[in-house]
């Protein structure tokens, strides 16, 4: 019975692991993100937009290799939680991407740590985001490498119907207040 359970668990993991997308970063991907960032505002420097796009794609791929992400996000999370991998939870991606982009000291862009609070059907989720200098997170572009196992998902935050992105510290305070009140 134990062997059957172990076999079934292995089959589930292998099946879910097959859901991990393959990496294909093209010049069109980078160009599309660079244009999206450039269009965040009239004062966004096109060279900064290009650099942010290139870093977002290349660093996502580097982290994917460094963290040995070979499975779907949920399977990889299970590996991290159970000690088989050291990194790769969404907050690891958010922290790494945010720090890397902040190293560029952009003059016309702001880098944000975005958080989507937990809901009935979703746990909390973190990612990096970028906006025109002085604009809010909500006016920016989400840069989410966790969602596709290291292959960068990006898009306007206002158009992302999968998550309710908000500033990290705002969500943190809400969660602390809610737990203090219970």
């Amino acid at each position: 019975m134990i062997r059957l359970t172990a076999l079934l668990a292995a089959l589930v993991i292998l099946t879910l692991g097959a859901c991990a997308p393959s990496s294909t970063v093209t010049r069109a991907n980078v160009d599309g993100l660079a244009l999206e960032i450039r269009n965040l505002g009239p004062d966004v420097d096109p060279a900064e937009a290009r650099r942010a796009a290139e870093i977002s794609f290349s660093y996502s791929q580097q982290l994917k290799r460094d963290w040995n992400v070979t499975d779907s996000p949920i399977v990889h999370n299970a590996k991290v939680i159970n000690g088989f991998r050291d990194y790769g939870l969404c907050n690891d991606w958010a922290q790494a991407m945010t720090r890397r982009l902040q190293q560029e000291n952009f003059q016309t862009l702001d880098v944000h740590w975005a958080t989507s609070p937990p809901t009935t059907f979703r746990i909390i989720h973190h990612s990096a985001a970028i906006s025109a200098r002085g604009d809010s997170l909500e006016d920016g572009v989400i840069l989410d490498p966790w969602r596709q196992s290291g292959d960068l998902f990006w898009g306007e935050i206002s158009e992302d119907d999968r998550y309710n992105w908000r500033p990290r510290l705002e969500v943190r305070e809400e969660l602390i207040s809610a737990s203090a009140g219970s």
Side-chain angles (χ1 to χ4, degrees), residues 50-67:
R50 161 82 40 205
R51 195 162 75 243
E54 289 171 346
I55 289 167
S56 296
F57 276 104
S58 65
Y59 197 55
S60 294
Q61 292 298 298
Q62 178 185 331
L63 292 172
K64 179 178 182 168
R65 286 187 304 275
D66 291 352
W67 296 344

Side-chain angles (χ1 to χ4, degrees), residues 6-18:
L7 177 63
L8 288 175
L11 288 173
V12 167
I13 288 172
L14 288 172
T15 301
L16 289 173

Side-chain angles (χ1 to χ4, degrees), residues 21-125:
S22 61
S23 303
T24 342
V25 177
T26 66
R27 177 58 46 199
N29 296 132
V30 175
D31 290 346
L33 177 54
L35 180 61
E36 188 76 30
I37 294 170
R38 172 65 187 93
N39 287 338
L40 289 171
D43 296 329
V44 172
D45 179 355
E48 284 193 357
R50 161 82 40 205
R51 195 162 75 243
E54 289 171 346
I55 289 167
S56 296
F57 276 104
S58 65
Y59 197 55
S60 294
Q61 292 298 298
Q62 178 185 331
L63 292 172
K64 179 178 182 168
R65 286 187 304 275
D66 291 352
W67 296 344
N68 197 20
V69 177
T70 57
D71 302 296
S72 69
I74 300 303
V75 172
H76 191 80
N77 278 11
K79 288 180 177 181
V80 173
I81 291 165
N82 288 294
F84 297 109
R85 297 285 192 276
D86 293 326
Y87 299 102
L89 300 176
C90 65
N91 57 302
D92 296 325
W93 292 98
Q95 182 177 45
M97 291 291 291
T98 300
R99 283 184 178 168
R100 176 60 189 93
L101 288 165
Q102 286 173 338
Q103 288 175 356
E104 294 300 306
N105 295 313
F106 294 121
Q107 300 303 301
T108 65
L109 298 169
D110 283 335
V111 179
H112 307 267
W113 183 314
T115 300
S116 182
T119 65
T120 304
F121 298 107
R122 289 202 187 277
I123 61 172
I124 195 167
H125 184 38

